[in-house]
Amino acid sequence: MSGHKKTEEMTNFIYTMIKEDLERGALGDKCVHTRFPPEPNGYLHIGHARAILLNYKLAKAFDGKFNLRFDDTNPIKEEQAFVDSIMEDIRWLGADWGERLFFSSDYFDIKYQFAVRLVEAGLAYVCDLSQEEIRSYRGTLTEAGTESPYRNRSSEENLDLFERMRKGEFADGSRVLRAKIDMASGNLNMRDPVIYRILHASHHRTGDQWCIYPMYDFDHPFSDALEGITHSLCSIEYADHRPLYDWIVENAVNLFPEAVKYRSRQTEFARMNLTYTVMSKRKLRRLVEENHVDGWNDPRMPTIAGMRKRGYTPNSIADFQERSGVSRADSTAELALLEHCIREELETTAPRLMAVTDPIKVIITNWPEAQTEMVGMENIPGDEAAGSRQVPFSGEIYIERDDFMEEPPKKFFRLAPDGEVRLKGAYVIRCDEVFKDEQGNITKLHCTYDPQTRSGADTSGKKVKGVIHWVSVEHAVRITTNLYDNLFTIENPEEEKDVDFTLNINPDSLVVCKDVPAEPAVAEATPGSRFQFLRKGYFYYDPDASEDGKPFFNRIVKLKDTWAKVKKKG
RNA sequence: UGGGGCGUGGCCAAGUGGUAAGGCACGGGAUUUUGGUUCCCGCAUGCGUAGGUUCGAACCCUACCGCCCCAGCCA
């Protein structure tokens, strides 16, 4: 955890429920056991991070166990590559599954045996209806379904047919195994759900060993019960699958007692949206495929990989998860909360450095020619242990273009004609002359400095309100900065159903600044480290190599900017 | 008159019959060589609405309103 106190007890309803379970002795001699069950068919995003961390922290809080189990029951959609990236992301987040890595496909054999027992018990049957027929027999939301003509086949016939399904005698889609429950149930999930389908497809782990694969509703509760998961947490759209979950678990315990001893229970909690981004797999894929972003790990993406590359820390994501809470109500967290979490961490941990992302040159006309002076600056204000560094100052420097205004509004206390400003850690300068090109763009400023105003040794008595950052031209190292901003211009890009969400993409979500002058200390920075470029925001030294070999820094988040607010108000 | 779920300030979220925690955001002020940080202060006479029970209701009861999810051989 980060430096600030974070020892309060969890207060979410799931934590409370587990505590009560423990007090009641509802777990018997078992310890709390959770799991995260990703399907290896895509990349993890911030929403998954919440689920991962919730499951992991809950297990940890109660000194229990945490499994990582890949839900790989659909060979058509799943790949090893996703298994790898998912593990990398979870590991990075800090959720440690130890030796407890599992795959649903590990249990294909025993699951088949369980299915056979369901058939023997008259609780499952092979149905020859086509996919379309099954759909129409299912009924509608308001009308009961109709029983399949194959519903009352004998156990012997079902056993034979199921066995032959397994052997590969039938074509994909020609038959399925269904649980025999209740075609008149108000809950569609209970209307004789399909539990096995024929899929002549190669599986990323089991190869061609199987041509029938279990469905989620059959597979998941069984896997949970088999692993002894005590608390199976899932998102709220599975709430109406719970009766089926319980049905499977109950029958597993009764029909397969030698393998399944524990009655796992499912608890649902609401997913959470984030403002200024999208979270659905489909929309994220479109962003990538239509090249609105540069891949799944583009720093603007809400994917774990994207956030990692942006420079977010696992800690800040965990903090966000804790602060945003858990409930069953639909909710949308504000990006501002996430940003607060990373700023709070970096405020006390990120060394300060100076870089000028949009420079104009300043000539200090009364500076002794060719002279360089070293000025000291603290690395992290208020943290003496973080030390300080020497920064070269000279008669030619860069300052930020928007730190100068020819016609400053009231309360602008940066540099203006005939005005004064302090150069952070150095001297107070006055602007004497402004130079422009033919288009009227400012090209250069002539200023004079006041030798009496050296930082820490100011004898001038001047009180200058503004302090700006700078970089000595002669000593500057050149870097690239990627200035990231919100990917969308509106809070909820999914809101307007009839407008394509890509229309609200922020055209300025990435501004690349090349040849940005930065103070010499930047050259000693190590890839993968985080800094604050003074007054500009927190940046991450991207460890990936850039095209030109120059270091590049991703802006993780801007600093809060009260001035921007004041300006906006006019 | 299908089933399930949810409604507490701008966004989250505690609270589970005793008179509305906390965080973020927002507004104001102080400090500040980052318009950053930090520190003060403010921010629901109100808990979807309307009734009812009670000495007392966000919490209990009734009715209504609104929003979300479900008709994959996806998960």
Side-chain angles (χ1 to χ4, degrees):
Chain A
M1 297 291 109
S2 61
H4 54 283
K5 49 152 178 41
K6 194 81 59 56
T7 43
E8 317 95 60
E9 212 176 54
M10 275 188 233
T11 52
N12 66 68
F13 79 98
I14 300 176
Y15 178 87
T16 307
M17 178 194 73
I18 295 178
K19 215 162 90 178
E20 284 166 4
D21 285 345
L22 254 13
E23 282 160 8
R24 285 198 341 260
L27 272 44
D29 56 357
K30 280 193 57 71
C31 64
V32 173
H33 200 159
T34 61
R35 108 266 88 123
F36 179 66
E39 181 186 14
N41 74 340
Y43 294 89
L44 261 26
H45 56 61
I46 179 80
H48 295 117
R50 291 181 77 252
I52 292 163
L53 264 3
L54 214 215
N55 276 290
Y56 176 66
K57 286 187 198 164
L58 246 10
K60 225 171 161 209
F62 292 103
D63 209 19
K65 296 175 185 163
F66 168 72
N67 290 7
L68 170 58
R69 182 180 69 235
F70 284 94
D71 241 339
D72 56 350
T73 57
N74 187 346
I76 293 167
K77 299 166 70 176
E78 296 150 6
E79 296 172 21
Q80 183 60 38
F82 290 123
V83 171
D84 298 337
S85 77
I86 288 170
M87 286 202 286
E88 183 187 1
D89 288 349
I90 298 174
R91 206 175 285 123
W92 179 75
L93 280 171
D96 179 14
W97 61 84
E99 304 294 303
R100 315 197 59 80
L101 169 65
F102 304 102
F103 292 82
S104 248
S105 54
D106 292 344
Y107 319 132
F108 278 169
D109 197 66
I110 195 169
K111 269 178 257 200
Y112 177 79
Q113 293 174 43
F114 172 49
V116 166
R117 295 196 188 189
L118 280 177
V119 171
E120 287 168 344
L123 292 171
Y125 63 97
V126 172
C127 181
D128 303 357
L129 255 24
S130 69
Q131 189 159 183
E132 296 70 43
E133 287 167 330
I134 286 183
R135 188 186 310 129
S136 70
Y137 274 69
R138 185 151 36 225
T140 68
L141 293 178
T142 53
E143 298 162 88
T146 310
E147 294 189 351
S148 163
Y150 304 99
R151 196 172 202 263
N152 296 308
R153 293 218 248 230
S154 68
S155 285
E156 294 69 35
E157 189 183 1
N158 280 137
L159 246 18
D160 174 60
L161 256 13
F162 187 44
E163 166 73 9
R164 289 163 62 195
M165 277 170 64
R166 202 209 83 215
K167 283 183 175 159
E169 291 186 22
F170 308 124
D172 286 8
S174 61
R175 286 186 166 85
V176 292
L177 185 71
R178 294 227 251 169
K180 190 193 273 192
I181 307 181
D182 178 10
M183 288 306 291
S185 172
N187 183 342
L188 291 281
N189 297 118
M190 299 300 269
R191 320 243 264 228
D192 289 10
V194 171
I195 58 179
Y196 263 94
R197 76 289 213 184
I198 302 172
L199 246 30
H200 289 269
S202 202
H203 186 276
H204 70 104
R205 289 182 65 84
T206 60
D208 296 319
Q209 196 181 334
W210 295 88
C211 65
I212 56 171
Y213 292 92
M215 297 283 290
Y216 170 88
D217 281 318
F218 168 84
D219 184 275
H220 200 86
F222 188 82
S223 295
D224 280 345
L226 201 60
E227 291 179 2
I229 300 301
T230 56
H231 298 270
S232 180
L233 312 183
C234 64
S235 50
I236 211 151
E237 65 264 32
Y238 290 102
D240 49 13
H241 291 242
R242 197 185 333 131
L244 180 50
Y245 183 101
D246 292 339
W247 188 93
I248 293 287
V249 168
E250 188 59 31
N251 285 121
V253 170
N254 293 150
L255 267 26
F256 212 154
E258 67 272 40
V260 180
K261 303 186 186 332
Y262 191 77
R263 285 180 174 79
S264 299
R265 297 208 145 267
Q266 169 180 300
T267 300
E268 312 85 21
F269 65 93
R271 295 179 178 223
M272 185 172 267
N273 296 111
L274 228 206
T275 55
Y276 297 105
T277 192
V278 292
M279 217 83 98
S280 80
K281 210 170 271 182
R282 199 192 116 256
K283 289 195 175 76
L284 292 176
R285 188 177 306 117
R286 275 194 62 196
L287 290 173
V288 173
E289 286 172 359
E290 296 171 16
N291 295 311
H292 294 111
V293 297
D294 186 22
W296 287 92
N297 69 340
D298 185 296
R300 290 165 292 184
M301 292 283 273
T303 52
I304 306 298
M307 295 177 73
R308 177 168 60 231
K309 191 169 171 62
R310 173 86 164 241
Y312 273 96
T313 59
N315 186 68
S316 64
I317 294 172
D319 194 18
F320 172 70
Q321 187 275 136
E322 273 164 39
R323 292 191 192 225
S324 55
V326 184
S327 75
R328 294 176 65 89
D330 296 343
S331 62
T332 302
E334 290 181 339
L335 218 212
L337 179 61
L338 215 207
E339 293 185 335
H340 169 81
C341 293
I342 187 64
R343 282 196 197 104
E344 185 178 68
E345 178 179 351
L346 264 18
E347 160 68 19
T348 53
T349 57
R352 273 58 169 178
L353 250 23
M354 294 194 292
V356 179
T357 56
D358 184 12
I360 45 177
K361 195 176 277 187
V362 171
I363 310 293
I364 301 171
T365 53
N366 63 337
W367 186 261
E369 200 170 333
Q371 182 171 309
T372 295
E373 190 174 316
M374 300 304 282
V375 301
M377 261 186 251
E378 47 192 349
N379 291 139
I380 299 177
D383 181 359
E384 276 183 40
S388 60
R389 66 190 186 285
Q390 294 295 120
V391 185
F393 182 80
S394 69
E396 272 191 37
I397 60 170
Y398 293 113
I399 67 167
E400 209 72 58
R401 188 164 291 274
D402 64 7
D403 282 340
F404 175 81
M405 279 187 97
E406 244 190 319
E407 290 166 37
K410 284 250 170 301
K411 297 233 185 115
F412 179 83
F413 35 84
R414 274 116 89 151
L415 193 60
D418 299 318
E420 290 188 322
V421 76
R422 173 172 291 282
L423 297 172
K424 172 78 179 175
Y427 296 90
V428 170
I429 56 169
R430 166 182 297 275
C431 176
D432 305 314
E433 207 175 341
V434 181
F435 295 83
K436 299 179 184 175
D437 61 18
E438 304 83 61
Q439 284 82 243
N441 302 312
I442 297 166
T443 54
K444 191 172 65 166
L445 263 25
H446 273 13
C447 297
T448 44
Y449 86 109
D450 180 346
Q452 310 278 288
T453 58
R454 186 170 213 257
S455 257
D458 192 326
T459 54
S460 72
K462 274 180 182 159
K463 278 181 295 186
V464 180
K465 198 108 193 250
V467 178
I468 63 174
H469 59 103
W470 50 274
V471 169
S472 167
V473 174
E474 183 195 338
H475 306 89
V477 298
R478 301 289 170 163
I479 61 172
T480 298
T481 57
N482 296 140
L483 306 183
Y484 293 106
D485 207 334
N486 299 346
L487 222 204
F488 292 90
T489 54
I490 58 174
E491 276 203 3
N492 180 6
E494 326 221 18
E495 191 174 46
E496 302 168 69
K497 299 282 184 221
D498 41 326
V499 178
D500 189 86
F501 78 103
T502 60
L503 262 24
N504 288 309
I505 288 177
N506 177 8
D508 302 318
S509 61
L510 168 59
V511 174
V512 179
C513 304
K514 289 191 186 293
D515 293 317
V516 168
E519 62 167 279
V522 170
E524 283 139 51
T526 33
S529 50
R530 298 171 180 83
F531 301 92
Q532 183 193 123
F533 283 147
L534 215 65
R535 303 204 306 134
K536 297 310 290 182
Y538 292 103
F539 286 74
Y540 177 60
Y541 187 164
D542 196 319
D544 295 342
S546 67
E547 297 150 26
D548 57 7
K550 282 182 190 152
F552 65 104
F553 292 75
N554 301 328
R555 184 171 65 195
I556 308 167
V557 65
K558 297 178 201 171
L559 256 35
K560 283 218 261 180
D561 190 351
T562 310
W563 170 243
K565 253 183 239 167
V566 173
K567 249 192 328 196
K568 224 176 208 173
K569 281 196 209 159

